Amino acid sequence: MSAYAPKKEVAGEEAPAPVVHRVRITLTSRNVKNIEKVCTDLKRAALTKKLKVSGPVRMPTKKLRITTRKSPCGEGTNTWDKFEMRIHKRLIDLHAPSEVVKQITSIEIEPGVEVDVIIHDK
């Protein structure tokens, strides 16, 4: 037996606070202007909700290079074409409930920007 009386539930008690998750948003794009616009929109939306935000963290740009011969038949002088595609990546970390993350990520996303949302439980 306990020395204390058991707690009685009161009908007017509030529901417990929503669980705060660590959320990582990864943005990838080939266009720098589009990815920066989406980053600023996400950060602005998170700050208006008074959330803890870190980022955007700019990851190193991946450069995919292809070098190919200009001549289709292989004869003639050895002239080469060089093609390059740059992929830019940004990371944004949030500490927020999952319902708030749905509201924040419902912003208009620029074409060509891929968004990946990962929710980590504590």
Side-chain angles (χ1 to χ4, degrees), residues 109-122:
I109 296 173
E110 295 292 316
V113 178
E114 295 180 22
V115 180
D116 184 27
V117 180
I118 300 171
I119 299 176
H120 298 283
D121 291 328
K122 288 187 176 180

Side-chain angles (χ1 to χ4, degrees), residues 19 30 36 49 83 85 87 114:
V19 178
R30 291 184 287 155
E36 289 294 334
K49 300 278 186 185
F83 299 99
M85 181 170 64
I87 299 175
E114 295 180 22

Side-chain angles (χ1 to χ4, degrees), residues 30 61-68 81-88:
R30 291 184 287 155
T61 303
K62 290 184 182 177
K63 296 179 183 176
L64 306 176
R65 292 187 179 111
I66 295 177
T67 304
T68 183
D81 273 334
K82 297 176 184 174
F83 299 99
E84 181 177 276
M85 181 170 64
R86 297 178 181 207
I87 299 175
H88 306 276

Side-chain angles (χ1 to χ4, degrees), residues 8 12 20-22 25 32-33 36 40-41 49 56 59 69-70 77-79 85 87 90-91 96 99-101 113:
K8 295 180 182 176
V20 176
H21 300 287
R22 290 184 307 135
I25 301 173
V32 178
K33 288 183 182 180
E36 289 294 334
T40 55
D41 291 346
K49 300 278 186 185
M59 302 302 288
R69 288 280 305 267
K70 282 187 180 180
T77 58
N78 294 336
T79 53
M85 181 170 64
I87 299 175
R90 305 287 187 264
L91 297 177
E99 301 85 31
V100 176
V101 174
V113 178

